């Protein structure tokens, strides 16, 4: 769990601003996943990426949200023109990507939209 | 995504064993059974996973039914730090995890 690094841990944005959440996977992991957890709800899958590729984005809202995992550097989850309903905990996870492997989660980034 | 069924909540006395059940009657032959737990204000923590055979690690044991349609997570001696929401998840290949509502475990001192 400690190996997946997310920052910032807490972020406050005004409505209409942009939020950028960063995730550095565990060493040796080339697969990254983003999840969102609304207050008092369960974790919802958003997007699954491999280096430079989006594998599955079936959980991503169609507008304002985007994710990338470049060849160099961390994965970025970007939320444009934030609204109050975007306030949530965003968790990043990583894995080596083969069947039966373990997915490890970061401590999360808490976004508050005021 | 394959579905699992867990009780919404369970209670255990401190220092007693806890058996957390999970039903997954539609499991396919290549699905791995994963367990995670989430403490308040923290990210999910990997607990254990298995395919067919029972598994043990330092945190817990996983007992898998012979037909693989159910499994049980066993915490051998519950402590107050084990109070969390426990998720039983079927993982297909390298794909992502789909979380259900899990079981909220309360440990009574």
């Amino acid at each position: 769990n400690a190996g997946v690094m997310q920052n910032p841990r807490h972020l406050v944005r005004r409505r209409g601003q942009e939020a950028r959440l960063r995730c550095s996977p565990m060493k040796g992991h080339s697969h990254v996943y983003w999840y969102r957890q609304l207050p008092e709800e369960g974790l919802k899958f958003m997007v699954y990426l491999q280096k430079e590729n989006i594998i599955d984005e079936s959980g991503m809202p169609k507008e304002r949200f985007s994710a990338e995992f470049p060849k160099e550097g961390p994965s970025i989850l970007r939320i444009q023109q934030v609204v109050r309903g975007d306030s949530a905990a965003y968790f990043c996870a990583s894995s080596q990507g083969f069947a039966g492997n373990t997915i490890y989660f970061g401590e999360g980034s808490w976004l508050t939209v005021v | 995504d394959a579905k699992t069924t867990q009780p919404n909540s369970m209670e255990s006395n401190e220092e007693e064993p806890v058996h957390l059940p999970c039903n997954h009657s539609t499991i396919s032959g290549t699905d791995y059974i994963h367990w995670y737990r989430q403490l308040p204000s923290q990210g999910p923590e990997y607990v254990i996973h298995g395919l067919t055979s029972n598994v043990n690690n330092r945190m817990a044991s996983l007992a898998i039914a012979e037909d693989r349609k159910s499994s049980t997570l066993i915490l051998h001696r519950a402590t107050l730090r084990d109070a969390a929401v426990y998720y039983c998840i079927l993982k297909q290949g390298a794909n992502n995890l789909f979380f259900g509502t899990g079981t909220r475990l309360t440990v009574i001192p």
Side-chain angles (χ1 to χ4, degrees), chain A residues 82-103:
Chain A
V82 296
V83 301
R84 289 240 171 94
D86 296 332
S87 295
Y90 292 83
F91 293 99
C92 173
S94 73
S95 77
Q96 291 178 305
F98 55 85
N101 72 149
T102 299
I103 296 178

Side-chain angles (χ1 to χ4, degrees), chain B residues 12-13 15-20 35 37 47-48 57-63 72-79 81-84 86 105-107:
Chain B
S12 172
N13 293 319
E15 298 191 5
E16 290 188 356
V18 183
H19 290 234
L20 298 165
W35 283 82
R37 70 181 185 182
V47 178
I48 200 167
N57 67 20
R58 63 174 181 81
M59 288 182 71
S61 296
L62 176 61
T72 302
L73 179 70
I74 303 165
L75 307 179
H76 295 286
R77 284 180 73 228
T79 70
R81 290 183 297 176
D82 292 323
Y86 286 79
L105 175 66
T106 301
V107 180

